[in-house]
Amino acid sequence: MSTTHERYYVPHDSGWPIFGALALLLIGYGAASWLTQAHGSGGVYIFWVGIALLVVMLFGWFGTVIRESTSGLYSDQLDRSFRQCMAWFIFSEVMFFLAFFGALFYARVLAVPWLGGAGNNAMTGELLWPQFDAVWPVLKTPGGTETQHMPWSGIPLINTLILLASSVTLQVAHTAIEHGNRARLKLFLGLTIVLGVVFLGFQVYEYVHAYRDLGLRLDSGIYGNTFFLLTGFHGLHVTIGAILLLVIWLRIVIKDHFTADKHFGFQAAAWYWHFVDVVWLNLFIFVYVL
């Protein structure tokens, strides 16, 4: 009895991982030097050199993968491997944001009440921060700096509606690619990218408003820390997601890549975008509303 084995493509040795590791080393060292002002102002140049090398690596490495895929070298098993890798990557991103949400919940549920004398911590507040008002958000630092909280209405609510709309347009584009409707695919995927850019524009305006009008800064105590770390890292992920979708859109428009049966690159970017949307919904509820 004969057995048919599925072909599995094994790529040749590549120098891109080493190239990428060097880029990340320069980014990390440059950022640390830049923030600590070590070695004069050279840190900022090292940081941007690392960013440039990382961009070159991404174009080179993903370009190789695209050429291999369009050449028909990949099997169904390799496609499943890509899906598993993307799923694990998104899982790691979930854990990343859970750490920051954990810090937020620890501060709100445990640290703030303890500092106010809850439980057996009656002397904690007296020793560390007399007359501390144990309410969230904490709008006054021990040094006396006061700030205002960011309301959920206005820009945060608008941005929530924008991201929800972008999920709908992306789903329409996903349905279009599965049915071979290229015109609808290009239109709604492009609209998703535009909505992502609009979201980022509103977030920049919100940050300017926070610094200029509310006195809400990164150094405004635990509330400022958690607000800017959570929303800032989310904004970074929206930027990455928009870039991913833009690259996919350009591949569709210029190279006519992807078919109804083979479009994992599109799916991977869509998964990432939907993940970003879910994170924002949690941010809107736990950072802005509650």
Side-chain angles (χ1 to χ4, degrees):
M1 185 173 68
S2 62
T3 302
T4 302
H5 296 282
E6 184 180 9
R7 176 176 54 85
Y8 190 90
Y9 175 70
V10 178
H12 297 290
D13 294 339
S14 173
W16 289 120
I18 299 176
F19 200 87
L22 175 62
L24 293 176
L25 174 64
L26 293 176
I27 290 173
Y29 178 78
S33 300
W34 186 6
L35 292 174
T36 59
Q37 298 298 316
H39 309 294
S41 60
V44 61
Y45 300 110
I46 296 174
F47 173 80
W48 287 113
V49 168
I51 291 292
L53 293 179
L54 183 65
V55 171
V56 171
M57 183 273 293
L58 291 174
F59 272 93
W61 200 348
F62 280 104
T64 300
V65 173
I66 291 171
R67 287 190 295 271
E68 292 172 347
S69 177
T70 54
S71 299
L73 297 175
Y74 291 165
S75 63
D76 292 339
Q77 174 59 39
L78 194 57
D79 187 66
R80 289 191 292 271
S81 297
F82 280 133
R83 294 172 186 275
Q84 292 171 1
C85 289
M86 191 63 190
W88 279 112
F89 172 69
I90 292 178
F91 175 76
S92 71
E93 293 284 74
V94 171
M95 294 296 103
F96 175 84
F97 276 101
L98 277 179
F100 287 103
F101 276 109
L104 172 65
F105 294 144
Y106 180 86
R108 292 179 59 171
V109 178
L110 298 176
V112 169
W114 287 345
L115 195 56
N120 61 349
N121 299 279
M123 293 303 298
T124 301
E126 293 297 324
L127 294 174
L128 298 180
W129 195 345
Q131 288 80 47
F132 171 71
D133 189 12
V135 296
W136 186 268
V138 179
L139 300 179
K140 186 176 181 180
T141 67
T145 302
E146 295 188 14
T147 184
Q148 301 178 53
H149 77 282
M150 183 65 69
W152 64 268
S153 58
I155 292 179
L157 179 59
I158 294 173
N159 267 348
T160 301
L161 298 176
I162 288 174
L163 275 192
L164 290 176
S166 72
S167 278
V168 174
T169 57
L170 185 58
Q171 185 58 39
V172 173
H174 197 167
T175 303
I177 197 173
E178 290 178 337
H179 289 83
N181 191 331
R182 308 291 288 187
R184 179 176 293 182
L185 167 63
K186 296 173 185 177
L187 173 62
F188 280 90
L189 182 56
L191 184 56
T192 303
I193 297 169
V194 171
L195 290 172
V197 173
V198 172
F199 173 91
L200 291 173
F202 274 122
Q203 188 168 42
V204 170
Y205 180 82
E206 179 187 56
Y207 277 13
V208 172
H209 171 62
Y211 266 70
R212 182 185 59 196
D213 303 323
L214 302 181
L216 179 59
R217 304 166 58 92
L218 186 60
D219 58 357
S220 300
I222 186 63
Y223 174 61
N225 292 163
T226 54
F227 175 82
F228 282 105
L229 284 175
L230 278 165
T231 59
F233 274 118
H234 178 267
L236 174 63
H237 283 71
V238 172
T239 304
I240 294 173
I243 293 173
L244 289 175
L245 293 177
L246 177 61
V247 171
I248 297 299
W249 186 79
L250 291 174
R251 289 180 60 187
I252 293 170
V253 172
I254 299 175
K255 297 293 186 179
D256 200 31
H257 284 176
F258 306 116
T259 64
D261 298 324
K262 297 185 70 66
H263 53 269
F264 172 69
F266 174 91
Q267 284 183 310
W271 292 355
Y272 190 85
W273 191 258
H274 289 309
F275 156 75
V276 167
D277 290 348
V278 172
V279 171
W280 176 258
L281 286 177
N282 284 278
L283 273 173
F284 181 68
I285 294 171
F286 295 110
V287 175
Y288 290 96
V289 177
L290 298 182

